[in-house]
Amino acid sequence: MLEFERVLLCFRQLSGCREDKLSEVVPLVMSAMKEVERKVDPAKLTENDVPACEYAAACGAVYDYVCREAGQDMMTVTAAGTADNSGDISHRIKGAERLKAESLRRIEWLMKGEDFLFKTM
């Protein structure tokens, strides 16, 4: 129902993911896309609703990507030979979480009624 290439393009625009890391994120994007497809009721979905669903899938992938990247050791070495932890992106997690939540809220009327929502505090 969702087109992978459009979800991937939207993900790249939102995340700023570099071209050389694209093969690493394909499973994240595919997983987020399948999650949205599983939650959406096909009987309620129209062709006009597909872009919002693709955007929600991309936002979900951005959240997963940011969490994954923040969890990795981002230590780099400067030209002077000192260690630098400037690659820390953990501050982006909260924003990515809000982006995902808002994009899902935009399509909540398309979702099946049996989903259980679990949210950490």
Side-chain angles (χ1 to χ4, degrees):
M1 122 177 73
L2 305 183
E3 188 178 310
F4 176 75
E5 289 301 322
R6 288 195 305 240
V7 175
L8 184 62
L9 176 63
C10 190
F11 165 81
R12 289 190 62 210
Q13 292 170 339
L14 291 168
S15 69
C17 181
R18 297 186 328 251
E19 182 77 29
D20 61 326
K21 290 186 118 187
L22 204 53
S23 63
E24 296 174 26
V25 300
V26 166
L28 283 175
V29 175
M30 186 65 83
S31 177
M33 192 174 97
K34 294 298 180 191
E35 181 181 346
V36 169
E37 287 179 338
R38 184 184 54 77
K39 290 179 178 181
V40 170
D41 185 349
K44 297 177 184 177
L45 188 67
T46 68
E47 189 176 322
N48 293 332
D49 301 320
V50 171
C53 293
E54 291 172 341
Y55 177 76
C59 291
V62 167
Y63 175 74
D64 294 342
Y65 173 73
V66 169
C67 289
R68 187 191 78 175
E69 292 295 302
Q72 293 179 354
D73 186 11
M74 302 299 271
M75 194 66 69
T76 57
V77 178
T78 66
T82 59
D84 180 26
N85 196 20
S86 63
D88 182 20
I89 64 166
S90 60
H91 62 281
R92 291 178 55 194
I93 293 174
K94 193 62 120 173
E97 180 183 25
R98 282 195 303 266
L99 182 67
K100 178 181 177 179
E102 286 301 317
S103 68
L104 289 172
R105 199 167 292 128
R106 283 179 53 199
I107 62 168
E108 69 184 349
W109 60 277
L110 292 170
M111 295 190 185
K112 299 172 186 171
E114 71 268 3
D115 283 352
F116 172 77
L117 177 66
F118 176 79
K119 183 166 177 123
T120 59
M121 296 292 176

